[in-house]
Coordinates of all heavy atoms in Angstrom, one line a residue:
T1 N 84.3 18.8 205.5 CA 84.9 18.8 204.1 C 84.9 17.4 203.6 O 84.7 16.4 204.4 CB 86.3 19.4 204.1 OG1 87.2 18.5 204.8 CG2 86.4 20.7 204.8
E2 N 85.3 17.2 202.4 CA 85.4 15.9 201.8 C 86.5 15.0 202.3 O 86.6 13.9 202.1 CB 85.4 15.9 200.3 CG 86.5 16.8 199.7 CD 86.2 17.2 198.3 OE1 85.1 17.6 198.0 OE2 87.2 17.1 197.5
R3 N 87.5 15.7 203.0 CA 88.6 14.9 203.6 C 88.4 14.5 205.0 O 89.2 13.7 205.6 CB 89.8 15.8 203.6 CG 90.3 16.2 202.2 CD 91.6 17.0 202.3 NE 92.1 17.4 201.0 CZ 92.9 16.6 200.3 NH1 93.3 15.4 200.8 NH2 93.3 16.9 199.1
I4 N 87.2 14.7 205.6 CA 86.9 14.3 206.9 C 85.8 13.3 206.9 O 84.8 13.5 206.1 CB 86.5 15.5 207.8 CG1 87.5 16.7 207.7 CG2 86.1 15.1 209.2 CD1 88.8 16.3 208.3
A5 N 85.9 12.2 207.6 CA 84.9 11.2 207.7 C 84.4 11.0 209.1 O 85.2 11.1 210.1 CB 85.5 9.9 207.2
V6 N 83.1 10.8 209.2 CA 82.5 10.5 210.5 C 81.8 9.2 210.3 O 80.8 9.1 209.5 CB 81.6 11.6 211.0 CG1 80.9 11.2 212.3 CG2 82.4 12.9 211.1
N7 N 82.2 8.1 210.9 CA 81.6 6.8 210.7 C 81.5 6.1 212.1 O 82.6 6.0 212.8 CB 82.5 5.9 209.8 CG 81.9 4.5 209.5 OD1 81.2 4.0 210.3 ND2 82.3 4.0 208.4
P8 N 80.4 5.7 212.6 CA 80.2 5.1 213.9 C 81.1 3.9 214.1 O 81.4 3.5 215.2 CB 78.7 4.8 214.0 CG 78.2 5.0 212.7 CD 79.1 5.8 211.8
K9 N 81.5 3.3 213.0 CA 82.4 2.1 213.1 C 83.8 2.4 213.2 O 84.6 1.5 213.4 CB 82.2 1.2 211.9 CG 80.7 0.6 211.9 CD 80.5 -0.3 210.7 CE 79.1 -0.9 210.7 NZ 78.9 -1.8 209.6
I10 N 84.3 3.6 213.0 CA 85.6 4.1 213.1 C 85.8 5.0 214.3 O 85.2 6.1 214.3 CB 86.1 4.7 211.8 CG1 86.0 3.8 210.7 CG2 87.5 5.2 212.0 CD1 86.2 4.4 209.3
L11 N 86.6 4.6 215.3 CA 86.8 5.4 216.5 C 85.5 6.0 217.1 O 85.4 7.1 217.5 CB 87.8 6.6 216.2 CG 89.2 6.3 215.9 CD1 90.0 7.6 215.6 CD2 89.8 5.5 217.0
C12 N 84.5 5.1 217.2 CA 83.3 5.4 217.9 C 82.6 6.7 217.2 O 81.9 7.4 217.9 CB 83.5 5.6 219.3 SG 84.1 4.1 220.1
G13 N 82.8 6.9 216.0 CA 82.1 8.0 215.3 C 82.8 9.3 215.4 O 82.3 10.4 215.0
K14 N 84.1 9.3 215.9 CA 84.8 10.6 216.0 C 85.3 11.0 214.6 O 85.6 10.1 213.9 CB 86.0 10.5 217.0 CG 85.6 10.2 218.4 CD 86.8 10.1 219.3 CE 86.4 9.9 220.7 NZ 87.5 9.6 221.6
P15 N 85.3 12.3 214.3 CA 85.8 12.7 213.0 C 87.3 12.3 212.8 O 88.1 12.5 213.7 CB 85.6 14.2 213.0 CG 84.8 14.6 214.2 CD 84.9 13.4 215.1
V16 N 87.6 11.7 211.7 CA 88.9 11.3 211.3 C 89.2 11.9 209.9 O 88.4 12.2 209.2 CB 89.1 9.8 211.3 CG1 88.9 9.3 212.7 CG2 88.2 9.1 210.3
I17 N 90.6 11.9 209.6 CA 91.0 12.1 208.2 C 90.6 10.9 207.4 O 90.9 9.8 207.7 CB 92.5 12.3 208.2 CG1 93.0 13.4 209.1 CG2 92.9 12.6 206.7 CD1 92.5 14.8 208.8
K18 N 89.8 11.2 206.4 CA 89.3 10.1 205.5 C 90.4 9.2 205.1 O 91.5 9.6 204.7 CB 88.6 10.6 204.3 CG 87.7 9.6 203.6 CD 86.9 10.3 202.5 CE 85.7 11.0 203.1 NZ 84.8 11.5 202.1
G19 N 90.1 7.9 205.2 CA 91.1 6.8 204.8 C 92.2 6.5 205.8 O 93.0 5.7 205.6
T20 N 92.0 7.2 207.0 CA 92.9 6.9 208.1 C 92.1 6.7 209.4 O 90.9 6.9 209.4 CB 93.9 8.1 208.4 OG1 93.2 9.2 209.0 CG2 94.5 8.6 207.1
R21 N 92.8 6.4 210.4 CA 92.2 6.4 211.8 C 92.7 7.5 212.6 O 92.7 7.5 213.8 CB 92.4 5.0 212.4 CG 91.7 3.9 211.6 CD 92.0 2.6 212.3 NE 91.3 2.4 213.6 CZ 90.0 2.2 213.8 NH1 89.2 1.9 212.8 NH2 89.5 2.0 215.0
I22 N 93.2 8.6 211.9 CA 93.8 9.7 212.6 C 92.7 10.7 212.9 O 92.1 11.3 212.0 CB 94.9 10.4 211.8 CG1 96.0 9.3 211.5 CG2 95.5 11.6 212.5 CD1 97.0 9.8 210.4
P23 N 92.4 10.9 214.2 CA 91.3 11.8 214.6 C 91.6 13.3 214.3 O 92.8 13.7 214.5 CB 91.1 11.6 216.0 CG 92.3 10.9 216.5 CD 93.0 10.3 215.4
V24 N 90.6 14.0 213.9 CA 90.7 15.5 213.8 C 91.2 16.1 215.0 O 92.1 17.0 215.0 CB 89.4 16.1 213.3 CG1 89.4 17.5 213.4 CG2 89.0 15.6 211.9
S25 N 90.7 15.7 216.1 CA 91.1 16.2 217.4 C 92.6 16.1 217.6 O 93.3 17.1 218.2 CB 90.4 15.6 218.6 OG 90.7 14.2 218.6
L26 N 93.3 15.1 217.2 CA 94.7 14.9 217.4 C 95.5 16.0 216.6 O 96.4 16.6 217.1 CB 95.2 13.5 217.0 CG 96.7 13.3 216.9 CD1 97.3 13.4 218.3 CD2 97.0 12.0 216.3
I27 N 95.0 16.2 215.3 CA 95.7 17.2 214.5 C 95.5 18.6 215.1 O 96.5 19.4 215.2 CB 95.1 17.1 213.1 CG1 95.3 15.8 212.5 CG2 95.8 18.2 212.2 CD1 96.7 15.2 212.5
L28 N 94.3 18.9 215.6 CA 94.1 20.2 216.2 C 94.9 20.3 217.5 O 95.5 21.5 217.7 CB 92.6 20.3 216.5 CG 91.7 20.4 215.3 CD1 90.2 20.4 215.7 CD2 92.0 21.6 214.4
E29 N 95.1 19.3 218.2 CA 95.9 19.3 219.5 C 97.4 19.6 219.1 O 98.0 20.4 219.7 CB 95.8 18.1 220.3 CG 94.5 17.9 221.0 CD 94.3 16.5 221.6 OE1 95.3 15.8 221.6 OE2 93.2 16.2 222.1
L30 N 97.8 19.0 218.1 CA 99.2 19.2 217.6 C 99.4 20.6 217.1 O 100.4 21.2 217.5 CB 99.6 18.2 216.5 CG 99.7 16.7 217.0 CD1 99.9 15.8 215.7 CD2 100.8 16.5 218.0
L31 N 98.4 21.1 216.4 CA 98.6 22.5 215.9 C 98.6 23.5 217.1 O 99.4 24.4 217.1 CB 97.4 22.8 214.9 CG 97.4 22.1 213.6 CD1 96.2 22.3 212.8 CD2 98.6 22.7 212.7
S32 N 97.7 23.2 218.1 CA 97.7 24.1 219.2 C 98.9 24.0 220.1 O 99.3 24.9 220.8 CB 96.4 23.8 220.1 OG 96.5 22.6 220.7
A33 N 99.6 22.9 220.0 CA 100.9 22.7 220.7 C 102.1 23.3 220.0 O 103.2 23.2 220.4 CB 101.2 21.3 221.0
G34 N 101.8 23.9 218.8 CA 102.9 24.5 218.0 C 103.5 23.8 216.9 O 104.4 24.3 216.3
Y35 N 103.0 22.6 216.7 CA 103.4 21.9 215.5 C 103.1 22.5 214.2 O 101.9 23.0 214.1 CB 102.8 20.4 215.5 CG 103.5 19.5 216.5 CD1 103.5 19.8 217.8 CD2 103.9 18.2 216.1 CE1 104.1 18.9 218.7 CE2 104.4 17.3 217.0 CZ 104.5 17.6 218.3 OH 105.0 16.7 219.2
D36 N 103.9 22.5 213.2 CA 103.5 23.0 211.9 C 103.2 21.8 211.0 O 103.3 20.7 211.4 CB 104.6 23.9 211.3 CG 105.9 23.2 211.1 OD1 106.0 21.9 211.1 OD2 106.9 23.8 210.8
S37 N 102.6 22.1 209.8 CA 102.2 21.0 209.0 C 103.4 20.0 208.6 O 103.2 18.8 208.7 CB 101.7 21.6 207.6 OG 100.5 22.3 207.8
E38 N 104.5 20.5 208.4 CA 105.7 19.7 208.1 C 106.0 18.7 209.3 O 106.2 17.5 209.0 CB 106.9 20.5 207.9 CG 108.1 19.8 207.4 CD 109.3 20.7 207.1 OE1 109.1 21.8 206.6 OE2 110.4 20.2 207.3
R39 N 105.9 19.2 210.4 CA 106.2 18.3 211.6 C 105.1 17.3 211.8 O 105.4 16.1 212.1 CB 106.3 19.2 212.8 CG 106.9 18.4 214.1 CD 107.2 19.3 215.2 NE 107.6 18.6 216.4 CZ 107.7 19.2 217.5 NH1 107.5 20.4 217.7 NH2 108.0 18.4 218.6
I40 N 103.9 17.6 211.5 CA 102.8 16.7 211.6 C 102.9 15.6 210.6 O 102.8 14.4 210.8 CB 101.4 17.4 211.6 CG1 101.2 18.3 212.8 CG2 100.3 16.4 211.5 CD1 100.0 19.2 212.7
I41 N 103.3 16.0 209.4 CA 103.4 15.1 208.3 C 104.6 14.1 208.5 O 104.6 13.0 208.2 CB 103.5 15.8 206.9 CG1 102.1 16.4 206.6 CG2 103.9 14.9 205.8 CD1 102.1 17.4 205.5
D42 N 105.6 14.7 209.1 CA 106.8 13.8 209.5 C 106.3 12.7 210.4 O 106.8 11.5 210.4 CB 107.9 14.6 210.2 CG 108.7 15.4 209.1 OD1 108.7 15.2 207.9 OD2 109.4 16.4 209.6
A43 N 105.5 13.1 211.4 CA 105.0 12.1 212.4 C 103.9 11.2 211.8 O 103.8 10.0 212.2 CB 104.4 12.8 213.6
Y44 N 103.1 11.7 210.8 CA 102.0 10.9 210.2 C 102.1 11.0 208.7 O 101.5 11.8 208.1 CB 100.7 11.4 210.7 CG 100.5 11.2 212.2 CD1 100.8 12.3 213.0 CD2 100.1 10.1 212.7 CE1 100.7 12.2 214.4 CE2 99.9 9.9 214.1 CZ 100.2 11.0 214.9 OH 100.1 10.8 216.3
P45 N 103.1 10.3 208.1 CA 103.4 10.5 206.6 C 102.2 10.2 205.7 O 102.3 10.7 204.5 CB 104.5 9.4 206.3 CG 105.0 9.0 207.7 CD 103.9 9.3 208.7
S46 N 101.1 9.6 206.1 CA 100.0 9.4 205.3 C 99.2 10.7 205.1 O 98.3 10.7 204.2 CB 99.1 8.3 205.8 OG 98.6 8.6 207.1
L47 N 99.4 11.7 205.9 CA 98.7 13.0 205.8 C 99.3 13.9 204.7 O 100.5 13.8 204.4 CB 98.7 13.6 207.1 CG 98.0 12.9 208.3 CD1 98.0 13.8 209.5 CD2 96.5 12.6 207.9
T48 N 98.5 14.8 204.3 CA 99.0 15.8 203.4 C 98.7 17.2 204.0 O 98.0 17.3 205.0 CB 98.2 15.8 202.0 OG1 96.8 16.1 202.2 CG2 98.4 14.4 201.4
V49 N 99.2 18.2 203.5 CA 98.9 19.6 203.9 C 97.5 19.9 203.7 O 96.9 20.5 204.6 CB 99.8 20.6 203.1 CG1 99.4 22.0 203.4 CG2 101.3 20.5 203.4
E50 N 96.8 19.4 202.7 CA 95.4 19.5 202.5 C 94.6 18.9 203.6 O 93.6 19.4 204.0 CB 95.0 19.0 201.1 CG 95.5 19.8 200.0 CD 97.0 19.6 199.6 OE1 97.5 18.5 200.1 OE2 97.6 20.4 198.9
D51 N 95.0 17.7 204.1 CA 94.3 17.1 205.2 C 94.4 18.0 206.4 O 93.4 18.1 207.1 CB 95.0 15.7 205.5 CG 94.8 14.7 204.4 OD1 93.8 14.7 203.7 OD2 95.7 13.8 204.3
I52 N 95.6 18.5 206.7 CA 95.7 19.3 207.9 C 94.9 20.6 207.8 O 94.2 21.0 208.7 CB 97.2 19.7 208.1 CG1 97.9 18.3 208.4 CG2 97.4 20.6 209.2 CD1 99.4 18.4 208.3
K53 N 94.8 21.2 206.6 CA 94.0 22.4 206.4 C 92.5 22.0 206.6 O 91.7 22.8 207.1 CB 94.2 23.0 205.0 CG 95.5 23.7 204.9 CD 95.7 24.2 203.5 CE 97.0 24.9 203.3 NZ 97.1 25.4 201.9
A54 N 92.1 20.8 206.1 CA 90.7 20.3 206.3 C 90.3 20.2 207.7 O 89.2 20.5 208.0 CB 90.5 19.0 205.5
T55 N 91.2 19.8 208.6 CA 90.9 19.7 210.0 C 90.5 21.1 210.6 O 89.6 21.2 211.3 CB 92.0 19.1 210.8 OG1 93.2 19.9 210.8 CG2 92.4 17.7 210.4
A56 N 91.3 22.1 210.2 CA 91.0 23.4 210.7 C 89.7 23.9 210.1 O 88.8 24.5 210.8 CB 92.1 24.4 210.3
E57 N 89.4 23.7 208.8 CA 88.1 24.1 208.2 C 87.0 23.3 208.9 O 85.9 23.9 209.1 CB 88.1 23.8 206.7 CG 89.1 24.6 205.9 CD 89.3 24.1 204.5 OE1 88.5 23.2 204.0 OE2 90.2 24.7 203.8
Y58 N 87.2 22.1 209.2 CA 86.1 21.3 209.8 C 85.8 21.9 211.2 O 84.7 22.1 211.6 CB 86.6 19.8 210.0 CG 85.6 19.0 210.6 CD1 84.5 18.5 209.9 CD2 85.7 18.6 211.9 CE1 83.5 17.7 210.5 CE2 84.7 17.8 212.6 CZ 83.6 17.3 211.8 OH 82.7 16.5 212.4
A59 N 86.9 22.2 211.9 CA 86.7 22.8 213.3 C 85.9 24.1 213.2 O 85.0 24.4 214.0 CB 88.1 23.0 214.0
V60 N 86.2 24.9 212.3 CA 85.6 26.2 212.1 C 84.1 26.0 211.8 O 83.2 26.6 212.3 CB 86.2 27.1 211.0 CG1 85.4 28.2 210.6 CG2 87.6 27.5 211.5
T61 N 83.8 25.0 210.9 CA 82.4 24.7 210.6 C 81.7 24.3 211.8 O 80.5 24.7 212.0 CB 82.4 23.7 209.5 OG1 83.1 24.1 208.3 CG2 81.0 23.3 209.1
I62 N 82.3 23.4 212.6 CA 81.6 22.9 213.8 C 81.3 24.0 214.8 O 80.2 24.1 215.3 CB 82.4 21.8 214.4 CG1 82.5 20.6 213.5 CG2 81.8 21.4 215.8 CD1 81.2 19.9 213.2
I63 N 82.2 24.9 214.9 CA 82.1 26.0 215.9 C 81.0 27.0 215.4 O 80.2 27.5 216.2 CB 83.4 26.7 216.1 CG1 84.3 25.8 216.9 CG2 83.2 28.1 216.9 CD1 85.8 26.3 217.0
R64 N 81.0 27.2 214.1 CA 79.9 28.1 213.6 C 78.5 27.6 213.8 O 77.5 28.3 214.0 CB 80.1 28.3 212.1 CG 81.2 29.3 211.8 CD 81.2 29.6 210.2 NE 82.3 30.4 209.9 CZ 82.9 30.3 208.8 NH1 82.6 29.5 207.9 NH2 84.1 31.1 208.6
E65 N 78.4 26.3 213.7 CA 77.1 25.6 213.9 C 76.7 25.6 215.3 O 75.7 25.6 215.8 CB 77.0 24.2 213.2 CG 77.2 24.3 211.8 CD 77.4 22.9 211.2 OE1 77.3 21.9 211.9 OE2 77.6 22.8 210.0

């Protein structure tokens, strides 16, 4: 999605939330650990609900491919 960036110069090319150095994998791990969007945003205030949704959409896209 447009909220996810992959740049070899940022975290060795791991997908991150655009404009941050927060990896998609971290958000997915937090979601799988039972965190909800509000709790994630409390921990990472630069994120939005849309960013968190984008991580899930990104994961679905990768798995489909």
Side-chain angles (χ1 to χ4, degrees):
T1 74
E2 56 199 45
R3 294 182 176 274
I4 306 299
V6 178
N7 181 334
K9 295 181 180 181
I10 300 172
L11 291 180
C12 299
K14 293 179 182 175
V16 298
I17 305 297
K18 193 175 281 185
T20 75
R21 297 180 65 82
I22 301 170
V24 167
S25 60
L26 172 64
I27 303 304
L28 294 172
E29 288 172 9
L30 292 173
L31 290 170
S32 70
Y35 283 53
D36 60 14
S37 295
E38 184 177 329
R39 189 169 174 195
I40 294 171
I41 292 168
D42 284 344
Y44 299 94
S46 63
L47 296 180
T48 66
V49 171
E50 291 79 16
D51 292 330
I52 295 167
K53 288 180 183 178
T55 63
E57 292 170 8
Y58 181 80
V60 168
T61 300
I62 294 301
I63 291 169
R64 280 189 190 146
E65 295 175 1

